[in-house]
Amino acid sequence: MTLPPHPIHLSYADALCRRGLTVERTPDGVRIEFPRGMMAPIWGAFAVIFVIGSILLLLFRLQSNFWILTALAAWPLWAWLAVEAIAVVIATAWREVRYRRVVPALELNAHALIVRRLIPNDSKPERLLPRSKVYEVKYVSHSGKLVIRCRGEEMIELRPMRDPIVLSYVADVLHESLELEPQRPAAGQS
């Protein structure tokens, strides 16, 4: 048995395998699982919570009318910030441990498009969008995000991976599975 001199190169297949993406077609839709390590970093949320918490702690420290706050007002500022940093780290770690078994995925079934653990800093690990109300799924190249539009819901912008080829492929698979009308090019594009 001889092998051909140059094997066929499949760019989508290579990109999907290399990035750890799993695409499984089902009888009534598709399930796309993303690798766990590709989640949006939580450091941005950590920084926002820390800054907002610091401002609130300073306000409480200035307005210490309660006896417990009066006792804590004697603490130096670094102690307040250390306690706050520990609380934020514990809260973030608890959230990650609580949802560690939920695989980040987009699942389309007969009734809904389910977005699991792909929206950073969302209070719910799962968002259900009725299939009949989803009217657009596309990859926006200038922002590098996957956009899902649903009637009666806010637009959802996802960036589960940084690879534009993979995100474009995911948008095409969802668009095809939802049986939406073909996308028209924007004005000025051919």
Side-chain angles (χ1 to χ4, degrees), residues 60-107:
F60 281 136
R61 193 169 176 192
L62 294 174
Q63 300 292 328
S64 57
N65 294 335
F66 300 110
W67 66 272
I68 189 74
L69 292 176
T70 305
L72 294 177
W75 286 15
L77 184 60
W78 65 267
W80 280 87
L81 295 177
V83 167
E84 181 192 359
I86 291 169
V88 169
V89 167
I90 289 172
T92 305
W94 171 249
R95 182 172 184 256
E96 288 301 311
V97 167
R98 189 171 152 201
Y99 298 125
R100 72 182 176 275
R101 292 196 175 112
V102 179
V103 177
L106 287 168
E107 184 176 344

Side-chain angles (χ1 to χ4, degrees), residues 8-15:
I8 298 171
H9 180 71
L10 300 173
S11 62
Y12 278 144
D14 289 346

Side-chain angles (χ1 to χ4, degrees), residues 2 14 25 42 76 85 94 101 108 119 137 177-180:
T2 60
D14 289 346
R25 302 245 181 211
I42 58 174
W94 171 249
R101 292 196 175 112
L108 179 67
I119 303 171
V137 177
S177 296
L178 282 164
E179 299 170 353
L180 299 174

Side-chain angles (χ1 to χ4, degrees), residues 142-154:
H142 67 272
S143 68
K145 293 183 178 179
L146 183 68
V147 174
I148 302 171
R149 294 178 195 257
C150 182
R151 288 178 190 85
E153 298 277 338
E154 275 188 36

